Each structure stands twice: as structure tokens, then as C-alpha cells.
Amino acid sequence: MGRFLIFMLLNLITTSLLAQDDEDWTTILNKKEGTVTFYWYPNNISISSSKDILDGVEHELALSFVQYLETKYKVDLELEWEETKSFNEVLDIVRNKSGASFGSSSISITEERRQYLNFTPPYLSDISVLISNSKIPIAQGGEEFREVFQNMTAVTIPNTTYITALEKLEDDLEINFDYEYVENSGQIIEKIENLENGFGYIDLSNFLVALDNSSTIRRQFFYPLKLDGIAMVYPKNSDWESPVTDYFSSEQFLVDKERIVVKYLGEGATNIIDRIATSAEIGPYEEIIISNREKDLQYQELLEASRREQERRELTNILILGITIVVMLFLAILVRFRIKTKANLLLTEKNETIADRNKELKKLNDEKNDLINILAHDLRSPLSNILNISLMFKENPNLTEEDKKLNSYVTKSSQKMASMITKILDVDAIESGKRNLVMERFNLSEVVVGVLRDYESKANKKGIKVNHDVEEVLIVFADRFYTNQVIDNLLSNAIKYSEPQSEVTVNALIEDGAPLVHITDQGPGFSEEDQKNLFKKFHRLSAQPTAGEETVGLGLSIVKSYVDMIRADISYVTIQGEGTTFTVRFQS
């Protein structure tokens, strides 16, 4: 009798447990009540004694989910949270459950996991970035990354997408990492902060928060890890797909998600993560700065880089001066030697010596030309740093008017020198495909007005009146920098080839549904022969600048290259002796 009672008791307990585990959505709808269990593991940066960043997001999403179901379906649901011992235990438990069981631990959606788990629609884009201790320099490409990170220590979590991405990086770059394992993402950041050769993957949302609290970590700008999204999971054999789809496809979910993400990650976090998640690549560090804190850190790096480049330029100048003196002394000695040896009976031998010297001079001349090219490339980087610093100073609200004036002078001078260097290097850069194109939507009118302002003084000096009619807003899809270069070159040519006291007209408007810019001058126009070579390199056309301005025959060829790069179209109408109108049509 006792054994029978024990058997019945165990059977009752087992039946009760199975009932709890198998409490499906249909049962809850019939009973009008039930329990929903969320299994979780803290896998991110802690924000209190018990919760962390993304667990906080998921905790509130779960509350909103349950409240939505209670309101819509008139059911009474109890929400329970069960903490597990590891991230993988969350997946294993939910995998073997049924009914109202969910897993939340900022889980990345992968095809492998889809085989044995159901995912809710993602509540956040899933992108992880490589971070490292600030003692490790920022790599500027694959080769440099290989040199810097060979045998560095990768901090990661076993059996996660983080370690999978690191192993793929090893295979792709043919390098080896030392590994150190931790239990969650918060520990990844803590470990890297205290390990001078430490690096690893961390999701972008946690990096944004960690950056505000740490000055010993930095982001590496290559090899981001982009997946389908971050979501919660529920059993494969569960009938909860209907209520899950109902909530996560509703307008209420969008409202809840925005409110919760802003609460935990700050204003604009969703846009930052989505923008980088959908970009083709995270490029060099001057192109993408994802937070004010990162901007401050990079500003300090720019200052330090500027100082190093200044020292380098000084050494380069000393080297050039030394080479010049040596060459001048050599030439002086050579000339004197030739004068003294004209009457010498060993004229033939001396002539051979002179020939040898000439060969050496030619070699020096070739090296000098190479040096000019190298210097032109090397000067671009410090100029870019100076320009970036001056633009940062411009945003400082504490600058006096005199400071602003001086800073404006530095900005314009840097831009002018950068333009001069660009004219030396543009052709080779275009042909070698080294241009870094950033296609985006922006207001074309701002670019046109800026160029008009830059050339106001030049036009006034020649007595040229620049008429313009620019619509206030013209949204285009192009690269802002190269768009500026196109308008700049065309307006520069219009002024350069126009007679004093003439007129130049600039119109920016919408025609036939497309944004475009007309630039019209009263110059000499183009002959039929000129038109055959209009967009070719190094072809000097019959028209000449009217005030002795210099030209190397590259302007329109560069314009055509830029127009093609930004997926625009350029056309012209010319009447010889009366003037020319160039039209650039952009994508909207």
C-alpha cells in the first residue's frame, strides 16, 4: 500500500511537471491563464547587481510581449525568469522544452541554431566589432592587421559566434592567435581592458556603452561580424509561433522596441547600429565615428599623429636640403673639373669620367622625381589631420571670434594645399582604383552654395558677375566629396576661361524629376576639334585662360572620372565664340 502511494505521488509530480513544460498556447487560450518561462544568462555589461544591458532590453520586451497577449486575448499570464549556468545551457534547455518556454541572452540568429530552435523576429541588428586594448595600434588593412595581431591574445566565449568569427579570421589571414576564454561579454571587455595584447569581438551595442566608461579599449575598423539579428528563442515544436508573430509584427512592438532600446542604449543607438550593419564595410577611422567618446579619443590620436608628422616633415626637409647642397657642390666641383681638364692630354679619359657622372646625375634626378611623388602622398595624411583638427575646433563653442578667424584660415589653407596635392595624384589614384567612394543622400544645394562662396573672390577680381538660382533643398544620392570636386572644377573653368566683365550663371534645380546643375559661361566655347578631346587627359584645348591662369589639361578629364564614379551624367552645349553650358544630372 505504501509503495502504491509513493508511485501515485511520483506520477502526480511527473504529470504536474510535464503539464507545466507542455503548457501550449492552445491550452492557455482555453484556460484563460498560464505561465510563461524565460531562461536567461547574463551575457553583457552589468548595469546593476542583477541585470545587464541586453538582458534589461529583453526583460522589458518580455513584459511588453506578455502584456500585449493579456490585453488582446483576455488571458492571465504569469511571467517567470530562470537563470541558467551558461549561455549554451539556455539553448539546450529551450531546445528540449515545449510550450511556453523562451530563451533570452542576446542570442544571435544563425542557420545552425534555426535547425533546432525557433527565433522571434529580431529586436536589434546584430553586428559585432573587433575591440582591442588601447596599447595595440589601429590596423589600416589586411597586411597591417596580420603583422599587428599575429600571436596576440584573443579573448572570447566558447561555442559562440565570436569564436567562430575569430577562427575564420585566422584561416583567411593565415595567422594564429592565443586564446583566453571567459563566460560572458562583460568579462571580454574587462579582460581586454587589463590585457595589453588582448582583443576580441563584442557586440556593437555593448561597445557603445563601454566606450563611455573606459579609455583603455578601442575599436579596430576592419572585419566586422554581421549576422541576421539578435532575438529570443522558443522550442521548435511549440505552437507559440502564432502569438509570437502577432506581437513582433505589430505596431506596438515597434513602439515598445524603440522606447526600450533608447532607455538602455541611448538616443540614436538603433540608427548607429543599423547604419553600420547595412554598410558594405567599416572603413578607415576618419570615415566612421560612432560616438562622441570615440570622437574624443580619435581627436587625441590626431593631435599625436600631427605632432609625429610635423617631426617627420622637419626631418624630410633637412634631408631634401642636404641632398640639394650635395648636388650643388657636386655640380660645382664637376664644372670646375671640366674647365681645368679641357686642355689636359687625358681629355678622352676625363670625358668618360664625366659621362659616368652624368649617369649618376640622371639617377639622382630620377630619385628626386620619385621623392616628389612620395612626398606628395605623404603630405596628404598630415594635411588631412590638420584639416580634421581645424574642423573639430570649429565646433568648439568657446572659441573667440579671432580664434574662429584664424581657424578658418587654417582650414582654407589646408584645403587649398590638399587640392594642389590632389591635382598631382588624382590621375594615378583614379586609374589604380584607390578612390574610397561613400554614396549617401545629402542636400546638393549646400554643396553648390559652398562652391559659389569659395569662388566669389576670384570672380570679383576678374570683374565677372556670377548669377545663381539654387533651390533650397535638392536631395541627391552620390558621394559628397566628389560631387563638390565636380562643381568646383566646372565653376573654376567657367571663371578661368571667361573674359573680364562677363557673366557666369549657375542653376541648381529639378528638371524632369531629376536634380541637376547647369553652369553657363560666356567664354570662347569649344571648336569641333576641341570637342573630340574634351574629356581626355593632358589635352590642351584651343581656348586659353583669360587672365594668365595655369592649366595642365587635367580638369575636365578628372570631372568626367568623378561623374562616372558617383553614377551621374554630364553633358554640354557649346557655341564657339558665345559660351558653353555644362549640365550634371544626379540620382535622386
Side-chain angles (χ1 to χ4, degrees), residues 21-189:
D21 189 40
D22 294 330
E23 193 167 32
D24 55 29
W25 175 241
T26 303
T27 301
I28 289 175
L29 284 177
N30 292 331
K31 291 168 45 181
K32 295 300 180 181
E33 63 178 7
T35 301
V36 181
T37 304
F38 275 80
Y39 297 90
W40 69 283
Y41 178 71
N43 197 28
N44 302 94
I45 305 167
S46 175
I47 62 169
S48 69
S49 59
S50 61
K51 296 297 179 185
D52 54 65
I53 290 295
L54 292 184
D55 181 58
V57 171
E58 292 182 337
H59 181 267
E60 295 206 24
L61 276 176
L63 289 174
S64 299
F65 172 47
V66 168
Q67 290 169 3
Y68 177 85
L69 297 181
E70 287 181 326
T71 301
K72 182 170 182 178
Y73 294 98
K74 304 297 188 294
V75 295
D76 184 14
L77 298 176
E78 181 180 353
L79 178 59
E80 292 186 352
W81 288 86
E82 295 287 342
E83 184 175 357
T84 65
K85 295 179 181 180
S86 70
F87 171 80
N88 288 304
E89 188 177 2
V90 172
L91 305 182
D92 291 338
I93 289 176
V94 176
R95 179 179 184 174
N96 295 312
K97 288 283 183 178
S98 63
S101 298
F102 290 82
S104 66
S105 186
S106 57
I107 302 171
S108 295
I109 300 173
T110 67
E111 287 304 317
E112 179 186 358
R113 292 170 182 169
R114 285 185 190 275
Q115 302 301 315
Y116 58 88
L117 289 169
N118 279 331
F119 282 89
T120 67
Y123 64 83
L124 199 64
S125 295
D126 188 4
I127 175 168
S128 298
V129 292
L130 272 175
I131 67 170
S132 67
N133 188 282
S134 58
K135 298 291 185 181
I136 300 177
I138 293 178
Q140 297 299 311
E143 286 297 327
E144 188 173 338
F145 187 93
R146 182 185 293 108
E147 295 176 5
V148 171
F149 283 83
Q150 177 74 21
N151 297 321
M152 289 287 184
T153 299
V155 183
T156 190
I157 306 170
N159 302 318
T160 61
T161 55
Y162 295 158
I163 192 169
T164 302
L166 288 168
E167 290 170 348
K168 182 177 185 302
L169 204 56
E170 283 184 304
D171 292 339
D172 291 346
L173 298 179
E174 298 180 351
I175 56 178
N176 295 304
F177 305 139
D178 294 327
Y179 283 90
E180 191 158 329
Y181 301 100
V182 296
E183 295 182 353
N184 58 53
S185 300
Q187 291 179 6
I188 289 180
I189 294 173

Side-chain angles (χ1 to χ4, degrees), residues 391-414:
L391 292 175
M392 290 180 186
F393 281 145
K394 183 179 179 181
E395 302 299 326
N396 190 335
N398 299 320
L399 292 180
T400 64
E401 289 301 316
E402 181 64 22
D403 291 338
K404 291 179 180 178
K405 183 177 180 181
L406 291 173
N407 191 58
S408 176
Y409 176 76
V410 170
T411 301
K412 290 181 180 179
S413 298
S414 300

Side-chain angles (χ1 to χ4, degrees), residues 209-399:
V209 177
L211 197 62
D212 287 332
N213 303 308
S214 174
S215 60
T216 57
I217 61 171
R218 63 169 59 178
R219 177 168 59 101
Q220 295 290 330
F221 301 97
F222 289 91
Y223 310 114
L225 173 61
K226 302 175 186 178
L227 298 175
D228 292 340
I230 296 176
M232 296 182 281
V233 297
Y234 59 102
K236 197 72 175 177
N237 62 345
S238 170
D239 70 342
W240 275 72
E241 183 174 358
S242 175
V244 166
T245 302
D246 186 357
Y247 174 67
F248 282 90
S249 62
S250 68
E251 291 293 329
Q252 185 61 45
F253 166 67
L254 298 178
V255 173
D256 293 340
K257 182 183 75 169
E258 180 66 20
R259 170 180 58 79
I260 294 168
V261 171
V262 167
K263 174 180 176 181
Y264 286 95
L265 299 181
E267 292 285 348
T270 303
N271 291 336
I272 290 172
I273 296 170
D274 289 347
R275 171 171 58 84
I276 298 179
T278 56
S279 65
E281 182 58 86
I282 300 180
Y285 66 87
E286 66 268 24
E287 295 177 1
I288 296 180
I289 298 175
I290 60 177
S291 71
N292 290 332
R293 175 61 172 165
E294 191 168 25
K295 183 184 293 184
D296 291 339
L297 293 174
Q298 291 186 16
Y299 168 71
Q300 297 299 326
E301 291 184 7
L302 285 173
L303 287 177
E304 178 62 21
S306 177
R307 182 189 64 77
R308 291 196 300 268
E309 289 298 331
Q310 178 65 29
E311 293 177 353
R312 180 182 178 184
R313 286 199 304 273
E314 291 175 357
L315 291 174
T316 302
N317 289 338
I318 292 173
L319 177 62
I320 292 174
L321 179 61
I323 292 174
T324 303
I325 292 173
V326 170
V327 171
M328 291 178 65
L329 288 174
F330 176 77
L331 289 174
I333 294 171
L334 180 60
V335 170
R336 185 175 179 182
F337 178 76
R338 291 186 62 183
I339 293 173
K340 287 186 176 182
T341 57
K342 282 184 179 180
N344 199 296
L345 295 177
L346 300 175
L347 184 60
T348 303
E349 181 180 350
K350 299 304 179 184
N351 283 340
E352 292 175 355
T353 303
I354 291 171
D356 292 338
R357 295 293 187 269
N358 284 338
K359 289 180 181 179
E360 292 179 15
L361 285 174
K362 185 179 183 303
K363 180 180 178 181
L364 286 174
N365 187 62
D366 292 341
E367 291 175 354
K368 180 262 296 179
N369 290 336
D370 291 340
L371 181 60
I372 289 174
N373 256 339
I374 293 170
L375 289 175
H377 278 89
D378 288 350
L379 284 173
R380 263 188 161 177
S381 178
L383 277 174
S384 176
N385 290 338
I386 293 170
L387 181 57
N388 284 337
I389 292 171
S390 69
L391 292 175
M392 290 180 186
F393 281 145
K394 183 179 179 181
E395 302 299 326
N396 190 335
N398 299 320
L399 292 180

Side-chain angles (χ1 to χ4, degrees), residues 501-540:
Q501 313 309 319
S502 62
E503 294 185 1
V504 170
T505 302
V506 178
N507 294 319
L509 66 162
I510 295 286
E511 283 188 7
D512 298 329
L516 50 81
V517 176
H518 296 300
I519 298 179
T520 303
D521 61 51
Q522 296 177 343
F526 298 109
S527 66
E528 291 185 5
E529 187 64 28
D530 285 341
Q531 293 179 50
K532 295 177 182 178
N533 302 313
L534 197 60
F535 294 116
K536 294 181 179 179
K537 294 183 297 184
F538 301 112
H539 276 275
R540 293 180 183 270

